[in-house]
Amino acid sequence: MTVSDSETTPTTINETLDIANPDESMAHSNSSKRSPRQGFAPVLENPRFLILWIGQVFSQLADKVYLVLMIAFIAGHFQGENQPISGWVSAIMIAFTIPAVFFGSLAGVYVDRWPKKGILVISNLIRAVFVFIIPPLLWLLQGDNLTLNLSWLPHWLRSWQDQTQEAFLLPLGFLMLLMLTLVDSTITQFFAPAEQATIPLVVKRRHLLSANSLFTTTMMAMTIVGFAIGEPLLEVASHLAENLGFSWEEGKAFVVGLSYLIAGLLLLLLKTGEKREHYEKEQPHVLEDIKDGIRYLGSNHRVRNALIQLVILFCIFAALSVLAVRMAETIPGMKAEQFGFLLATGGLGMGCGAAILGGWGQQFRNNQLGLWGSIGMAVSLVGLSLSTTSLWLTLLMTTFLGLFAAFVGVPMQTTIQAETPVDMRGKVFGLQNNAVNIALSLPLALAGIAETVFGLQPVLLSLGVMAISGGILTWLMGMKE
């Protein structure tokens, strides 16, 4: 094992030399006139990062198309004639959300106790198996229902479809989809912090910003591409499967399962440089580990404030995902169901911002970038509140909002990775995953109510105040360094 393959202890953000690679440091001192290479090139030339990144592409694609797959199964097996699909889909979304809110911190503790590579590989392979077994389970459970007696409920709760319901028939196939989705989301809670904790193991410290920029760009691209191509991709797969003598369910499940499988097999090739003895030592109680992570966040103001800014960022975008429906409704020439175009332009802007940071962001301090991004987001939100009657101005403002959001998200994620010691990364990223998922959940419930009570413009302006407050907080704390 080479020295550069070992786990490293982070130093300060402003150091430009990677102390985990003394050979490179010596070369730098012997040739001080030659500045280190920056941008995406040195990151893309790193084979270990390439494996992790390509694995992310397939895993993220599978994650996004998974929801489209669930909707296809619901429409094909459980949705009644003239019955809205929203109730079925809402149940699936709740099954996705519960593990994210409750198990994020616990999963982060075990990420520190287990080899990261093993978590990345096994989580993808297990999810692949679960997707592959859905079609045969649907066939086995077809027509079977679980009868729930409703006689104990008040009459007004049992009255729908113009009649009083005495019992509710829950299809066992749909219950199976809920359980598998619950397990899939729980496994994802282990995968997400393990992936974040692996980046600093395979990328030199000074290239972390570029690496995170690529990951952010890929994440946003997969969000846009995954939902956009998910339905036609599954349709093509179902037609091919039927031509080959298989069912449409098997064809659609094969696409998602294969993506998870490819990600898992690719990550088998990953070398993280982790030391076996680190995971063989006696470990404290799980709750004590969670407390250690909370204590670390309390004592390290840079990591804590970076996390606060990320939480604010996700709060804003979760609120916008709800408000976008109302914005689309108020814009001439748009319909409420076309709100996805507004979210897509925000994702496009974020991808562009991440690409800019990957090429030139290393020249600036992370808290400086965070402040600029927060100011840009605030200005964009003010512009958005004033442009809700113009389609093109709204699209422009949402694009700028996404671009400046990258100036917040990428440097803050880089700060957390660079400042957190190796043995604390899983705990910290688990807490981050937990906080972000809560930040995504609360605005989904509150944003619509706030818009109804106060109106669209005041809510957008309040989001702008939130954005700039987080940037100023991080900047002021950074001045103490």
Side-chain angles (χ1 to χ4, degrees):
M1 181 184 297
T2 61
V3 177
S4 60
D5 284 343
S6 303
E7 290 188 339
T8 62
T9 302
T11 55
T12 60
I13 284 291
N14 298 314
E15 287 186 28
T16 56
L17 294 179
D18 184 357
I19 63 170
N21 197 334
D23 293 336
E24 183 179 328
S25 299
M26 187 177 298
H28 183 90
S29 62
N30 292 337
S31 179
S32 57
K33 294 182 180 180
R34 185 176 59 190
S35 60
R37 297 176 66 206
Q38 296 188 352
F40 289 123
V43 175
L44 292 174
E45 291 170 1
N46 180 345
R48 294 190 297 167
F49 174 79
L50 278 179
I51 291 172
L52 183 64
W53 182 43
I54 296 172
Q56 182 215 16
V57 170
F58 283 100
S59 184
Q60 289 263 344
L61 181 62
D63 284 341
K64 301 303 177 288
V65 182
Y66 181 91
L67 179 59
V68 183
L69 177 68
M70 292 300 103
I71 294 173
F73 285 151
I74 290 169
H77 288 272
F78 309 114
Q79 183 186 12
E81 188 176 352
N82 299 323
Q83 180 190 40
I85 200 172
S86 56
W88 301 97
V89 176
S90 295
I92 292 289
M93 293 304 296
I94 291 171
F96 261 116
T97 305
I98 289 174
V101 173
F102 291 103
F103 300 145
S105 299
L106 184 64
V109 169
Y110 286 103
V111 166
D112 278 336
R113 299 180 178 210
W114 299 336
K116 313 296 182 294
K117 175 181 175 179
I119 296 173
L120 296 175
V121 171
I122 293 172
S123 61
N124 277 299
L125 295 181
I126 290 177
R127 288 185 289 180
V129 171
F130 282 164
V131 173
F132 284 138
I133 65 173
I134 289 177
L137 287 177
L138 283 174
W139 179 77
L140 286 172
L141 299 173
Q142 188 173 10
D144 293 335
N145 298 296
L146 178 65
T147 303
L148 302 176
N149 189 358
L150 301 180
S151 60
W152 56 277
L153 288 175
H155 183 271
W156 62 275
L157 283 177
R158 293 189 285 127
S159 300
W160 67 84
Q161 296 181 351
D162 298 325
Q163 58 182 333
T164 301
Q165 306 292 328
E166 298 298 331
F168 177 74
L169 299 179
L170 178 64
L172 288 181
F174 181 71
L175 184 61
M176 177 270 299
L177 290 184
L178 285 178
M179 296 304 297
L180 288 182
T181 299
L182 194 69
V183 175
D184 180 272
S185 180
T186 302
I187 293 172
T188 302
Q189 305 319 305
F190 290 85
F191 178 83
E195 186 180 52
Q196 289 295 333
T198 303
I199 295 174
L201 298 180
V202 301
V203 176
K204 293 182 176 66
R205 183 184 185 84
R206 66 171 176 268
H207 297 148
L208 277 177
L209 190 68
S210 295
N212 279 304
S213 298
L214 274 173
F215 263 72
T216 301
T217 304
T218 304
M219 180 182 68
M220 298 313 301
M222 287 299 105
T223 299
I224 299 169
V225 173
F227 287 129
I229 71 169
E231 197 275 335
L233 183 64
L234 294 181
E235 280 301 311
V236 170
S238 70
H239 288 310
L240 288 175
E242 289 173 342
N243 290 336
L244 294 173
F246 298 96
S247 68
W248 66 266
E249 295 96 335
E250 289 171 320
K252 292 186 176 184
F254 180 77
V255 172
V256 180
L258 183 63
S259 295
Y260 280 132
L261 181 62
I262 292 173
L265 295 178
L266 275 173
L267 291 167
L268 274 173
L269 305 175
L270 181 66
K271 295 180 180 179
T272 61
E274 297 170 274
K275 298 177 181 178
R276 184 180 297 274
E277 55 267 25
H278 172 76
Y279 302 105
E280 293 175 346
K281 63 183 180 180
E282 187 177 350
Q283 301 287 354
H285 192 274
V286 170
L287 291 179
E288 190 59 36
D289 265 355
I290 294 176
K291 291 177 183 177
D292 282 346
I294 295 172
R295 281 194 291 267
Y296 177 77
L297 289 175
S299 62
N300 189 310
H301 67 268
R302 284 195 295 263
V303 175
R304 181 181 66 249
N305 292 319
L307 180 57
I308 290 172
Q309 266 204 275
L310 285 176
V311 168
I312 292 173
L313 176 64
F314 281 97
C315 274
I316 291 172
F317 270 82
L320 282 173
S321 67
V322 176
L323 298 176
V325 179
R326 176 59 179 158
M327 285 191 286
E329 194 176 34
T330 61
I331 295 172
M334 282 196 79
K335 300 177 182 178
E337 56 267 28
Q338 294 176 315
F339 74 97
F341 287 108
L342 302 180
L343 298 180
T345 56
L348 176 63
M350 188 173 284
C352 292
I356 292 170
L357 286 171
W360 298 280
Q362 298 90 344
Q363 303 172 36
F364 307 97
R365 293 163 63 89
N366 287 345
N367 65 332
Q368 197 175 16
L369 292 170
L371 178 63
W372 294 346
S374 298
I375 294 172
M377 284 182 65
V379 172
S380 300
L381 285 164
V382 171
L384 195 58
S385 71
L386 300 173
S387 63
T388 53
T389 57
S390 169
L391 174 60
W392 292 110
L393 280 177
T394 301
L395 292 176
L396 183 65
M397 288 299 106
T398 52
T399 302
F400 278 124
L401 181 62
L403 188 147
F404 286 111
F407 277 62
V408 176
V410 174
M412 295 304 103
Q413 188 64 61
T414 302
T415 297
I416 296 173
Q417 288 175 345
E419 287 293 319
T420 305
V422 172
D423 58 351
M424 293 293 295
R425 284 175 184 157
K427 304 179 189 71
V428 171
F429 290 131
L431 288 168
Q432 175 190 325
N433 197 33
N434 220 172
V436 163
N437 281 303
I438 292 172
L440 288 171
S441 302
L442 289 177
L444 291 176
L446 300 177
I449 299 172
E451 190 275 328
T452 302
V453 174
F454 301 108
L456 183 59
Q457 190 176 69
V459 175
L460 289 172
L461 291 174
S462 67
L463 293 178
V465 172
M466 283 178 58
I468 201 165
S469 298
I472 292 173
L473 172 67
T474 301
W475 173 258
L476 291 176
M477 297 305 294
M479 297 294 289
K480 297 180 180 180
E481 300 175 12

